[in-house]
Amino acid sequence: FPSHDNTPIKKGKNALFTAMQKGFFVINLLDDATLEGHFISASDEVLFTQNIHFKHDNPSINTAISASTTHIPNARFKANAFQRWLLGSNYRDIWTRPITVPTLDLKDLKIVQRGGGQQTLSLRYESPTRGYFVTRSVEKYPESAIPASIRSKFTVDIVGDQISASHPFAALAIPPLADAAQVMHTNPRLVPIPNDALLGKYQRLFAGQLALFEERPDEGFAGAKKIYSTTKLFEKLADDNHHKVDEIATLRARLLDMLIGDWDRHEDQWRWAAFEQGKETFFRPIPRDRDQAFFVNQGVLPRIIARKWILPKIQGFDLKIRDINTFNYNARYVDRAFLTQLSANDWQQTAQALQQSISDSLIDSAVSRLPQPDPHIPEIAHKLKQRRNDLVAYALGYYRFLSKEIDIVASNKDEVITVHRLDDGTTAVKLYDQNKKNEQGKLLYSRLFDSRITKEIRIWGLDGEDRFVVSGQAHQGIKLRLIGGKGKDIFVDSSWVAKGTRKTLIVTGK
């Protein structure tokens, strides 16, 4: 109906109803899958009514879903020869090829809310019998991820085009590799979201989206007592020194990231499962969002951008990792917070265990889960096998990088921190809780640092009444910063270092 003027409308032979009056149209969805439509005037007069009946094998609209549908992940990634030269061939052939997949059945799912995600359209669901799930769109929307100060059609087009460098279905190949690495994971499957009234207010935005459907890590996932975000985990660790991160489990997860080329492992890409063991609670990582696994770097412009002085983290999924340190840039806060206690031997043994558990046949089986035909499968498998073979070297190289400067963070409880300098150039750091008599209690943290690798150790007492005790004599020492908190901390430093100035700097925190 016109919003301002009445416009004459000719009633053609196929028109059931026309009117020059202003009004509105109401649609009622009936239980028998009938659409009941009413044309109503501005004065609430029903001008015309029409029912539309749909034929279904099953009269319930909840199950009136086709077995499978065909979709193209993103047809806009088609490119001519010049565009491929400049921006890369990437996985354009996969993104622009039609794929037929089973449609998601919504009948057992209740929509909870729309998910977060800057570039991904996601919906959260709850099943009364199966728990919580999420769909994440395969197609990405980069506009919101680009800072407003540089956002333009050009930048959106360039950034959007580079999504073609990520494999749209990479997440499907990860579960077998994660199982072998003993890393917790979800089990995604590829589905189109149906054009179903059960989507409610989200129907217009989400209907027809090709998406990954998977469990949402929530309470009870993998037997965990509770699931936390990384931000909440920091709070839990600060609250109680009997809350600990399982560092070996975290290292396994991070080595798997390096194997599959997943460079975008920032803090929000993790959830943490809590498991109680006696009086202690251990937190184990659940990686999520595998959009950047197998990410390649092709084309003249992306290769320039990936240079060391610009964005070296996007160096791409190749046979060799060019620079393991810059590759892991996005995970720097996670790594520096949750990989502080492990020795070089821990890193080496964990990497060797992954090498042994991830066999050639397992890799071949994992990549065969990618929708076929996929001409990239042999190359992906070849790269995975080579990167697995080099995993110990990458692990030890990254261990040395992280070990140059170490942050050890206590809690808001009362602790005793001891640092002993040894004449062989090593420094032993131990952290204990305090018992009710304010005496040294249970050992919470222990690591021996080598001055040939570690140049500075920073120990944060946080709140509580902590006692810092530094002792020992050394000809070559490590720079030590002791940082107190709001409590009445005690600092005792009887150590001696021959070379250079006194190596202990005390910051009271008051």
Side-chain angles (χ1 to χ4, degrees):
F1 286 65
S3 59
H4 296 291
D5 300 320
N6 291 337
T7 304
I9 300 174
K10 181 179 179 181
K11 187 173 181 179
K13 64 178 181 179
N14 295 320
L16 299 177
F17 167 75
T18 62
M20 290 180 60
Q21 300 181 50
K22 295 180 180 179
F24 51 93
F25 184 62
V26 174
I27 299 178
N28 295 321
L29 180 60
L30 306 182
D31 291 339
D32 64 351
T34 297
L35 287 179
E36 182 183 71
H38 304 281
F39 284 90
I40 302 175
S41 70
S43 60
D44 278 345
E45 178 187 1
V46 177
L47 303 176
F48 181 79
T49 297
Q50 176 72 26
N51 290 351
I52 303 175
H53 300 275
F54 293 95
K55 293 182 179 180
H56 298 290
D57 295 332
N58 186 327
S60 171
I61 61 170
N62 293 339
T63 56
I65 300 175
S66 59
S68 61
T69 54
T70 300
H71 294 258
I72 296 176
N74 195 329
R76 294 193 301 274
F77 287 151
K78 289 183 179 179
N80 58 36
F82 174 75
Q83 290 172 312
R84 290 173 180 268
W85 171 81
L86 182 65
L87 300 174
S89 294
N90 302 329
Y91 295 108
R92 296 180 190 276
D93 52 346
I94 304 300
W95 281 98
T96 58
R97 186 192 70 199
I99 182 171
T100 302
V101 285
T103 303
L104 176 64
D105 189 342
L106 295 174
K107 67 180 180 181
D108 186 38
L109 298 173
K110 174 186 175 183
I111 296 176
V112 177
Q113 66 182 72
R114 181 176 173 179
Q118 281 191 319
Q119 300 187 56
T120 303
L121 289 178
S122 64
L123 273 180
R124 299 176 187 176
Y125 310 82
E126 181 181 4
S127 165
T129 58
R130 295 182 290 156
Y132 296 90
F133 297 87
V134 63
T135 51
R136 296 186 300 106
S137 64
V138 170
E139 186 174 356
K140 307 305 174 189
Y141 303 87
E143 293 86 349
S144 59
I146 301 173
S149 59
I150 62 170
R151 191 179 302 150
S152 66
K153 186 178 185 306
F154 174 76
T155 57
V156 170
D157 287 347
I158 292 295
V159 173
D161 182 83
Q162 282 308 289
I163 292 171
S164 67
S166 60
H167 196 297
F169 313 127
L172 302 175
I174 306 305
L177 302 174
D179 281 335
Q182 300 180 56
V183 174
M184 288 190 288
H185 62 88
T186 58
N187 296 278
R189 63 185 178 95
L190 190 63
V191 298
I193 301 177
N195 189 5
D196 195 309
L198 290 173
L199 291 170
K201 64 181 180 180
Y202 302 111
Q203 182 173 2
R204 184 172 190 146
L205 183 61
F206 285 86
Q209 282 279 354
L210 191 62
L212 291 171
F213 176 72
E214 62 189 2
E215 314 97 306
R216 185 172 187 268
D218 217 311
E219 186 173 337
F221 181 84
K225 176 185 176 184
K226 202 167 182 180
I227 306 295
Y228 295 91
S229 68
T230 303
T231 300
K232 288 294 184 182
L233 174 60
F234 278 121
E235 295 175 3
K236 298 293 289 184
L237 296 176
D239 285 343
D240 193 334
N241 53 29
H242 289 90
H243 292 161
K244 300 179 179 180
V245 170
D246 186 333
E247 295 202 8
I248 290 293
T250 304
L251 177 58
R252 288 197 298 262
R254 292 292 294 118
L255 291 175
L256 178 63
D257 296 336
M258 299 175 207
L259 174 69
I260 63 178
D262 192 349
W263 55 270
D264 192 24
R265 304 311 304 164
H266 57 79
E267 303 90 282
D268 194 44
Q269 300 287 53
W270 303 88
R271 289 296 179 264
W272 301 87
F275 297 90
E276 290 185 350
Q277 295 183 17
K279 294 182 179 180
E280 296 181 322
T281 301
F282 285 86
F283 298 87
R284 300 191 178 104
I286 309 171
R288 63 176 195 160
D289 188 354
R290 289 300 192 181
D291 290 341
Q292 304 306 336
F294 311 150
F295 180 95
V296 295
N297 185 274
Q298 300 175 359
V300 173
L301 186 58
R303 284 173 180 159
I304 292 174
I305 293 174
R307 293 186 178 182
K308 282 191 174 183
W309 56 89
I310 307 178
L311 285 175
K313 63 185 179 182
I314 57 171
Q315 52 200 264
F317 180 67
D318 292 319
L319 288 169
K320 300 283 186 179
I321 301 178
R322 187 182 69 204
D323 186 332
I324 191 65
N325 303 335
T326 55
F327 169 82
N328 285 308
Y329 180 78
N330 277 15
R332 62 195 182 281
Y333 297 125
V334 169
D335 294 340
R336 292 194 177 280
F338 305 139
L339 294 174
T340 68
Q341 191 171 186
L342 302 180
S343 66
N345 191 50
D346 292 327
W347 282 71
Q348 180 171 337
Q349 289 185 355
T350 304
Q352 288 173 337
L354 260 67
Q355 285 180 321
Q356 294 169 6
S357 62
I358 300 177
S359 63
D360 285 0
S361 60
L362 176 69
I363 289 174
D364 291 335
S365 175
V367 297
S368 70
R369 295 161 64 102
L370 298 173
Q372 301 193 36
D374 185 339
H376 303 275
I377 286 178
E379 183 180 8
I380 291 173
H382 180 48
K383 290 177 179 178
L384 284 171
K385 293 169 186 176
Q386 183 60 57
R387 292 164 78 100
R388 176 208 56 199
N389 294 343
D390 296 332
L391 198 57
V392 171
Y394 296 140
L396 292 177
Y398 193 50
Y399 161 80
R400 287 190 290 270
F401 174 74
L402 290 178
S403 296
K404 288 180 181 178
E405 296 178 344
I406 292 289
D407 287 274
I408 302 169
V409 183
S411 75
N412 292 328
K413 300 290 187 180
D414 301 339
E415 281 110 5
V416 176
I417 298 104
T418 66
V419 181
H420 188 64
R421 300 185 184 277
L422 302 172
D423 198 40
D424 61 358
T426 59
T427 297
V429 177
K430 295 184 179 181
L431 189 151
Y432 304 84
D433 65 4
Q434 290 190 40
N435 59 27
K436 294 180 180 179
K437 297 180 179 179
N438 295 326
E439 298 172 339
Q440 181 175 297
K442 183 177 181 179
L443 179 65
L444 304 173
Y445 178 99
S446 178
R447 180 172 170 184
L448 187 66
F449 296 92
D450 190 333
S451 61
R452 292 172 297 181
I453 298 175
T454 304
K455 304 308 175 186
E456 181 173 345
I457 302 172
R458 296 181 287 263
I459 304 176
W460 302 76
L462 299 187
D463 294 345
E465 298 182 358
D466 303 313
R467 183 151 44 97
F468 297 82
V469 180
V470 186
S471 61
Q473 298 183 0
H475 284 83
Q476 181 66 49
I478 298 172
K479 186 174 183 179
L480 181 65
R481 293 181 187 267
L482 307 179
I483 305 152
K486 295 179 181 179
K488 296 179 180 180
D489 300 320
I490 298 173
F491 298 86
V492 178
D493 181 12
S494 61
S495 68
W496 175 84
V497 179
K499 290 187 179 181
T501 60
R502 195 173 183 85
K503 293 277 185 175
T504 304
L505 175 65
I506 297 174
V507 181
T508 63
K510 295 182 177 63

